[in-house]
């Protein structure tokens, strides 16, 4: 497996399942970096469902909704799910997305662990009707480009089927 792998796809495309299947090929310790914040009941339910799916499967889970760079392990494998939720958190908290993505990319490049990143491809749909949604779509696209540039492997998942874009 390559040191940095980016897995892109739309909502319910199978990207997380594919990323987890890549992670299971790793024989060493595995860290799951979760970025979701439980803002409402539906999100709390999703978080709990994800925890249950990983239970007993050898994962150490770390919650990092605003600074995933701070919890990157020094070895083994880390799976971050997902970049899109992390960017939404940053936007919600008024952070500078460009600076945070640059900081994260630098931390990834310095990290000795293998890292799998899950991110949504949000630019394949209609143009959002409001300025905030358009800004988010643009920031997500720029973040995906920055992460793809430093990744050895990049996959796009649609309908549960991975397509290798790089590597």
């Amino acid at each position: 497996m390559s040191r940095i792998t980016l897995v892109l796809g739309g909502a319910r495309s199978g990207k997380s399942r594919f990323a987890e299947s890549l992670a299971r090929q790793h024989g060493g310790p595995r860290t799951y970096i979760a970025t979701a914040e439980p803002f409402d009941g539906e999100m709390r339910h999703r978080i709990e469902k994800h925890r249950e799916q990983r239970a007993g499967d050898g994962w150490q889970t770390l919650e990092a909704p605003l600074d995933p760079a701070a919890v990157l392990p020094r070895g083994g494998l880390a799976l971050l799910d997902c970049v899109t939720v992390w960017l939404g958190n940053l936007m919600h908290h008024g952070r500078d997305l460009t600076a945070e993505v640059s900081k994260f990319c630098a931390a990834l490049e310095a990290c000795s662990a293998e890292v799998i990143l899950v991110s949504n491809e949000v630019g394949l749909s209609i143009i959002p009707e409001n300025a905030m949604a358009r800004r988010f779509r643009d920031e997500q696209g720029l973040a995906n480009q920055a992460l793809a540039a430093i990744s050895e492997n990049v996959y796009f998942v649609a309908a549960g089927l991975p397509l290798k874009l790089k590597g």
Side-chain angles (χ1 to χ4, degrees):
M1 177 177 287
S2 295
R3 214 178 56 68
I4 301 173
T5 298
L6 176 62
V7 179
L8 301 166
R12 297 288 181 242
S13 63
K15 64 189 175 296
S16 293
R17 187 174 331 123
F18 175 70
E20 288 178 14
S21 74
L22 291 176
R24 281 188 197 92
Q25 297 172 19
H26 188 271
R30 291 178 293 166
T31 302
Y32 188 97
I33 302 173
T35 60
E37 289 186 287
F39 287 120
D40 57 30
E42 188 260 343
M43 186 55 86
R44 279 189 290 280
H45 176 72
R46 283 176 178 253
I47 291 169
E48 189 56 39
K49 185 177 175 185
H50 277 270
R51 285 181 182 149
E52 288 171 7
Q53 288 172 338
R54 290 188 309 277
D57 200 17
W59 290 99
Q60 173 192 14
T61 299
L62 301 175
E63 308 285 337
L66 293 173
D67 191 7
V71 299
L72 288 171
R74 295 184 180 189
L77 177 134
L79 189 157
L80 183 138
D81 197 353
C82 91
V83 172
T84 306
V85 172
W86 171 58
L87 290 177
N89 295 342
L90 293 174
M91 206 169 183
H92 176 77
H93 290 281
R95 300 280 187 87
D96 180 339
L97 274 66
T98 302
E100 294 288 344
V101 169
S102 293
K103 174 183 143 185
F104 185 55
C105 285
L108 285 168
E109 289 182 301
C111 179
S112 59
E114 293 179 32
V115 181
I116 300 171
L117 307 165
V118 176
S119 188
N120 284 23
E121 177 53 66
V122 299
L124 297 174
S125 186
I126 61 172
I127 297 171
E129 68 179 31
N130 66 70
M132 184 179 77
R134 286 189 298 273
R135 177 177 170 239
F136 181 79
R137 180 219 38 211
D138 293 349
E139 295 286 352
Q140 178 69 64
L142 294 171
N144 285 346
Q145 288 181 54
L147 293 168
I150 65 168
S151 296
E152 285 84 12
N153 284 320
V154 178
Y155 294 90
F156 181 76
V157 180
L161 302 171
L163 174 65
K164 193 167 197 177
L165 302 177
K166 178 181 177 183

